[in-house]
Amino acid sequence: MLDLARLPRLSAAVLLLSGVVLATPSMAQESTDPIKLTLHDWTGQLITTNIMGEVLKKAGYSVEYVQADYLAQFAGLETGDLHVAMEIWATTGQEALDNAVATGKVENLGETGMQAKEEWWFPDYMKEKCPGLPNWEALKEPACAEAFSTAETAPKGRYLGGPVTWGGFDDERVEALDLPFEVVHAGTDAALFAELESAYQRQAPIMLWIYAPHWAPAKYKGEWVEFPTYTPECYNDASWGSNPDMAYDCGKPFGPIWKAGWVGVKDKWPGAYKAIKAFNVNNDEMGAMITDVDVNGKKLEDVVAAWMAANEARWSDWIKK
């Protein structure tokens, strides 16, 4: 660390007040430009990103939060107009991430420590009306599909997907597996789970996209549909799987939640780059924080502040790396 006691008092004060990152010789080229972190439309990602932002601020960096589309953000990461994305889920964003990394302009910054699962989910009480569940083939039965229908979709079942910007290939999955279901996309993350709450309280039919880490799988009793196991070939080779003419005839992939960034981050902000790569939280602690915000009504900034206070030794180590 740079010893401020050895600097003239005025010079040290100017450096501190100006917010300049005080760098070791290995960090001599640190930029004072803001590091732009992307924000999306689900609570967990907002928590992850704000924790990272607060840690970087503690290290003396300027941080800017930028609202961005989950998949379209890669264009900005490739040009350097955006700098860091804290949650790229293997379940929905792996292909986009791999394509961006292949350009040489985006870097995979490693795992966040969280493991992602996203799939079709139904409440336990629906098994009485569709006893073949959780096997996906039960959904092909007309009576089962109708049990999940609404006035707008009958006799087809309704699958409530996430916002269109999340991707996930659910429309393609329905077509490839010849499921008598209609995909209806929720407008927001909040709308998705508000509809689940309403249906669950009324014991009403519902099939929807649920993901983990999240509070919903813990709060509600239910199961994920068991589709044919994902392989890369399922998404990329139409001849794979039960439908020889179409891709996506399988479930979604499970796997890590990644961090990604503009390839220039490591040269422009080498200290921040190391801290971002070191960032690590697990499903349990993230699930608890999401619960505090979405279920217990706490302010997101208060939940982030509480995590920072309880984990100072941990994040301090990230910025020392």
Side-chain angles (χ1 to χ4, degrees):
M1 294 292 293
L2 191 61
D3 189 351
L4 292 180
R6 296 182 181 178
L7 292 175
R9 291 184 181 178
L10 180 60
S11 297
V14 169
L15 285 170
L16 287 170
L17 290 173
S18 64
V20 172
V21 177
L22 300 177
T24 64
S26 65
M27 295 167 54
Q29 301 303 312
E30 294 274 359
S31 172
T32 59
D33 290 345
I35 302 172
K36 296 180 181 179
L37 306 178
T38 60
L39 295 176
H40 305 317
D41 54 356
W42 66 94
T43 303
Q45 195 273 347
L46 300 178
I47 292 172
T48 305
T49 305
N50 275 270
I51 288 175
M52 190 73 256
E54 290 303 308
V55 171
L56 292 176
K57 289 177 186 178
K58 292 289 187 182
Y61 294 95
S62 174
V63 170
E64 182 179 338
Y65 298 111
V66 181
Q67 196 71 39
D69 180 278
Y70 175 53
L71 296 178
Q73 70 179 331
F74 286 103
L77 292 172
E78 289 177 18
T79 61
D81 293 321
L82 301 173
H83 302 135
V84 177
M86 288 301 297
E87 288 196 15
I88 306 298
W89 291 45
T91 48
T92 53
Q94 190 71 59
E95 184 178 11
L97 174 61
D98 291 345
N99 289 340
V101 169
T103 68
K105 300 175 182 178
V106 171
E107 181 178 356
N108 185 327
L109 297 176
E111 298 186 20
T112 60
M114 296 179 285
Q115 292 292 311
K117 178 162 185 166
E118 301 184 77
E119 197 55 273
W120 292 34
W121 184 98
F122 60 92
D124 275 353
Y125 58 77
M126 289 303 298
K127 276 190 170 182
E128 294 181 9
K129 299 179 179 179
C130 187
L133 289 172
N135 189 309
W136 72 274
E137 291 180 300
L139 302 178
K140 295 175 72 73
E141 295 294 329
C144 179
E146 191 163 6
F148 283 100
S149 69
T150 64
E152 292 75 23
T153 68
K156 290 185 176 181
R158 187 188 72 148
Y159 168 71
L160 182 63
V164 174
T165 56
W166 292 6
F169 304 107
D170 285 313
D171 296 273
E172 292 86 348
R173 184 167 293 105
V174 165
E175 186 176 2
L177 292 174
D178 193 27
L179 297 177
F181 274 72
E182 184 174 328
V183 177
V184 177
H185 293 279
T188 64
D189 180 66
L192 183 71
F193 291 103
E195 187 150 352
L196 170 59
E197 174 70 24
S198 175
Y200 200 89
Q201 292 301 324
R202 294 179 290 113
Q203 300 283 284
I206 190 165
M207 175 78 74
L208 77 163
W209 179 330
I210 279 192
Y211 58 87
H214 195 266
W215 52 265
K219 180 177 180 180
Y220 304 112
K221 292 182 179 180
E223 296 182 59
W224 278 288
V225 174
E226 295 176 356
F227 286 108
T229 302
Y230 165 85
T231 71
E233 292 77 19
C234 173
Y235 277 24
N236 300 315
D237 181 1
S239 66
W240 183 97
S242 60
N243 187 333
D245 301 315
M246 296 188 71
Y248 306 108
D249 49 348
C250 63
K252 298 177 185 180
F254 305 148
I257 300 178
W258 304 99
K259 299 161 288 189
W262 171 51
V263 74
V265 170
K266 63 179 177 292
D267 294 323
K268 190 169 184 177
W269 301 282
Y273 172 79
K274 292 178 182 177
I276 295 162
K277 286 181 68 68
F279 174 98
N280 189 280
V281 299
N282 63 43
N283 280 37
D284 289 342
E285 61 185 324
M286 180 54 63
M289 287 189 282
I290 295 170
T291 300
D292 272 344
V293 175
D294 286 353
V295 179
N296 299 332
K298 294 184 180 181
K299 293 182 179 179
L300 189 143
E301 56 265 33
D302 292 341
V303 171
V304 169
W307 187 94
M308 293 288 292
N311 293 275
E312 183 172 359
R314 183 172 165 192
W315 58 256
S316 293
D317 188 57
W318 299 346
I319 61 180
K320 291 176 183 176
K321 290 185 181 295

